[in-house]
Amino acid sequence: MSEAGGILGPSGPDLLVRMRGRAVGAIVCAGFGAYALYWWTQAAISGDQRLWFGAIATATAVLVVWAIANLVALSHEPRVVLDKRLARFYRIGYALIVATEGAAISVGGPILGHFHRPDLYGQWIGAVVGIHFFPLGKLFKIPLYYWTGAAISLAAFGSLLISASSLSSALCAGGTGGALWITAIVILSKNLESLSAKSVVAVSPGE
């Protein structure tokens, strides 16, 4: 099965490396999705929240175990040795994207404080997180990340149209958490389908 043009990106000589990276990315999405949904419960649930916390924790555990199962299955596949320049390109690109994301989140507090709107910090974080998925999708060749970024950004900016602060925060946090969990589910449900299209060879940047 070829994934050219698919939601998880094209096949190619570096496919196994990207499949392992996608499984790790699913774990990250599961964890941060749980964090966002925790804040959703704070904004949306006025009564006893323990049941919701338990459900979030259980669902997160299921996603993490599923991702680990993906990684275990992939561990039995031949290792792909990336060209050093390509491996460096991935590492540096990822580090730059994450560093920029962290810096943008960090300056949000002072900027919003200057304009006397610290209540919008959740939306600021949501917008930054959503936007950072676009370069991630480009770097790792995962079209799904464009949809993830668009959904999170829409939740963040769309929540600004709601005047009630608790409802606005709930929409932003819930939209972010839901998008991250859906991304993890799509990745994990389709990731291993790529195995039949793998090519186990050394990769160089010109390939």
Side-chain angles (χ1 to χ4, degrees):
M1 170 181 171
S2 173
E3 271 200 319
I7 197 168
L8 294 187
S11 60
D14 62 343
L15 178 61
L16 278 174
V17 173
R18 289 187 286 112
M19 288 172 67
R20 293 184 179 104
R22 293 190 307 232
V24 173
I27 294 176
V28 175
C29 286
F32 281 100
Y35 180 74
L37 290 171
Y38 165 80
W39 286 108
W40 170 79
T41 62
Q42 298 297 302
I45 309 299
S46 57
D48 190 353
Q49 299 168 342
R50 287 176 296 179
L51 180 62
W52 288 98
F53 293 160
I56 292 170
T58 300
T60 304
V62 169
L63 290 174
V64 171
V65 170
W66 190 1
I68 292 173
N70 259 234
L71 290 170
V72 170
L74 292 169
S75 70
H76 299 300
E77 297 298 319
R79 303 293 296 181
V80 174
V81 180
L82 290 180
D83 179 90
K84 291 182 179 179
R85 288 171 294 176
L86 183 58
R88 188 181 307 115
F89 170 75
Y90 280 139
R91 286 197 300 267
I92 293 176
Y94 179 74
L96 286 174
I97 292 169
V98 172
T100 301
E101 177 194 24
I105 289 174
S106 298
V107 301
I111 290 175
L112 293 172
H114 176 75
F115 290 103
H116 309 290
R117 293 305 306 269
D119 56 301
L120 297 180
Y121 190 54
Q123 281 84 351
W124 179 284
I125 294 176
V128 172
V129 170
I131 291 170
H132 106 290
F133 270 99
F134 291 98
L136 277 182
K138 177 68 173 178
L139 176 67
F140 294 120
K141 307 171 188 175
I142 305 179
L144 172 63
Y145 280 177
Y146 299 141
W147 291 98
T148 305
I152 295 174
S153 299
L154 180 62
F157 291 114
S159 68
L160 296 175
L161 302 177
I162 301 174
S163 57
S165 60
S166 60
L167 182 57
S168 177
S169 297
L171 175 60
C172 180
T176 298
L180 290 172
W181 272 11
I182 290 172
T183 298
I185 291 170
V186 172
I187 288 174
L188 295 173
S189 63
K190 292 183 173 294
N191 200 27
L192 297 183
E193 293 179 7
S194 309
L195 284 175
S196 61
K198 69 182 184 297
S199 176
V200 187
V201 294
V203 181
S204 65
E207 292 179 332

